[in-house]
Amino acid sequence: MTERWEPAAFRARVDAVLHRFVADEVDLLAAVDPALAPVAEQVEAAVAAGKRLRAAFCYWGWRAARQPESDALLRAAASMELVHAAAVVHDDLIDDSPLRHGRPTAHVALGGAVRHHPRAPEAARSLAMLVGDLLMSLAGQLFATSGLPAAYLGRARPLWAALARDLIAGECLEILHTGAAPDTAASLKVIRYKTAKYTVEQPLLIGGALAGAGERLREGFSAYGLPLGEAFQLRDDLLGLFGDPRHTGKAGSDDVRGHRPTALLAETWRLAGPDERERLSALLGRSDLDEDGLEAVRDVMRRLRTPDRVEHMITARVEEALAALRDLDVPAPADAALTALAHSAATRRS
């Protein structure tokens, strides 16, 4: 790679690592028994596409610590995308989401493989859960076999436990708060643990730990990564309800039908009067919610200007992240790349 940040070239390199590694692994899985072919297909599908942001943050955590370009580091960074793939499969299963990237989610796609099963829907969900488990295992394997020296890997290994613990804590908090009275502070805590940490902060810290980053740089990574990760998820919440499904690749009604604890909903509830809360209560969590009901929720939000409030929250967090970056003495290529990543993570359409 050149010193200039080229996202498309980076994605292509990460894709090549992931697709080659996963293809070898699913060949071994399918060789156990031909019946496993549909499961193997879903493992491959889970890593078929993506923005590769988590790999990018890990890579630039390494480069910000003044380490050189490294193919072994790229493999280690690519393992972050397998963590994400596992989280997505599990998240879709928990939320019962039908679509991801415009394609059926794993538990939906695997329905055809278990038509004969006496409890086919539950069996398909069980298979999807195991796909997610395998992807998380493969993430650790790719990281450990990246080719980096054992001493480097040892510096970063404790961060993997923190990553898994925080991610699971966030998922559990989302489940525990789903359907409860919306609360902005609780929603922001879910965002921090479910998404912000493993999307930005922890990949940066892992890249930095591999590189032997000092305490000041690690603190700067957290000061940059946490608000930016929150901005990323806040954008996701807005896109989930107000984005174009042709770009997002996801069903636009998921958060409302699931009565999920998004900050967008929490801010709407906080500002709503008695009549508006009564209207929302009649619509949230309904599995049979149609497009008219969904538009009614959007109308309440627009009247209360909560999408604008969330936009302000995103802007404030991106500014906080960039201010933290300016305080760090990192090489110019890393500064430019992390600045560009901050803007792209918060202004995307999908």
Side-chain angles (χ1 to χ4, degrees):
M1 285 181 68
T2 65
E3 289 297 286
R4 187 165 61 86
W5 174 230
E6 297 176 345
F10 181 82
R11 283 196 301 271
R13 290 181 70 200
V14 173
D15 283 347
V17 169
L18 288 173
H19 295 163
R20 185 165 55 249
F21 174 76
V22 171
D24 289 344
E25 289 296 327
V26 299
D27 283 349
L28 293 171
L29 177 66
V32 173
D33 193 288
L36 291 168
V39 178
E41 288 172 8
Q42 288 309 305
V43 175
E44 285 197 294
V47 299
K51 303 174 188 69
R52 310 314 188 199
L53 287 174
R54 293 153 188 87
F57 285 119
C58 184
Y59 175 86
W60 286 109
W62 165 273
R63 294 298 304 277
R66 304 182 186 279
Q67 288 282 9
E69 166 65 24
S70 163
D71 288 338
L73 184 280
L74 188 82
R75 284 175 56 83
S79 70
M80 300 291 99
E81 296 301 325
L82 291 170
V83 172
H84 176 53
V88 164
V89 170
H90 285 153
D91 197 47
D92 288 340
L93 182 59
I94 291 166
D95 294 341
D96 201 23
S97 298
L99 292 174
R100 173 74 64 165
H101 298 306
R103 299 190 303 267
T105 48
H107 63 280
V108 174
L110 285 164
V114 289
R115 291 193 193 94
H116 61 281
H117 197 284
R119 294 187 295 120
E122 291 86 350
R125 294 175 68 84
S126 297
L127 288 175
M129 177 186 67
L130 294 168
V131 166
D133 292 347
L134 178 57
L135 286 162
M136 186 62 87
S137 174
L138 293 179
Q141 182 182 342
L142 179 57
F143 184 80
T145 61
S146 62
L148 288 170
Y152 287 31
L153 296 173
R155 289 195 296 252
R157 192 164 288 118
L159 293 171
W160 276 79
L163 183 154
R165 182 175 59 248
D166 289 344
L167 177 55
I168 290 171
E171 285 283 10
C172 289
L173 284 173
E174 183 177 60
I175 293 169
L176 291 166
H177 288 300
T178 291
D183 177 82
T184 301
S187 294
L188 290 174
K189 193 165 194 177
V190 169
I191 283 173
R192 172 162 290 203
Y193 282 87
K194 182 189 170 188
T195 303
K197 283 179 165 287
Y198 98 92
T199 297
V200 186
E201 183 201 25
Q202 285 161 333
L204 276 169
L205 289 172
I206 288 171
L210 290 169
E215 183 179 358
R216 183 174 182 277
L217 185 55
R218 295 196 306 270
E219 289 174 351
F221 284 163
S222 292
Y224 164 92
L226 283 172
L228 182 58
E230 290 176 1
F232 177 89
Q233 183 58 45
L234 289 168
R235 173 64 60 202
D236 210 52
D237 291 347
L238 278 177
L239 289 171
L241 196 50
F242 292 94
D244 186 339
R246 292 173 298 179
H247 294 143
T248 64
K250 294 184 281 189
S253 59
D254 281 0
D255 288 345
V256 175
R257 285 178 177 162
H259 196 171
R260 294 176 195 154
T262 66
L264 177 62
L265 174 58
E267 280 295 281
T268 301
W269 188 265
R270 184 177 68 82
L271 296 169
D275 291 345
E276 290 158 329
R277 287 189 175 188
E278 183 178 357
R279 179 64 172 148
L280 289 170
S281 295
L283 296 168
L284 296 173
R286 285 183 50 177
S287 60
D288 62 345
L289 189 72
D290 59 15
E291 184 57 36
D292 288 341
L294 194 60
E295 191 57 31
V297 173
R298 293 191 188 104
D299 285 342
V300 172
M301 291 178 171
R302 290 189 190 103
R303 285 199 304 273
L304 297 173
R305 300 180 64 84
T306 46
D308 293 338
R309 294 185 68 85
V310 173
E311 287 285 0
H312 291 317
M313 293 166 72
I314 292 170
T315 299
R317 281 162 173 76
V318 172
E319 290 175 352
E320 181 183 349
L322 292 175
L325 180 60
R326 286 193 295 271
D327 285 342
L328 290 177
D329 178 25
V330 299
D335 182 83
L338 291 171
T339 299
L341 283 164
H343 290 300
S344 64
T347 60
R348 60 202 167 85
R349 294 195 300 165
S350 63

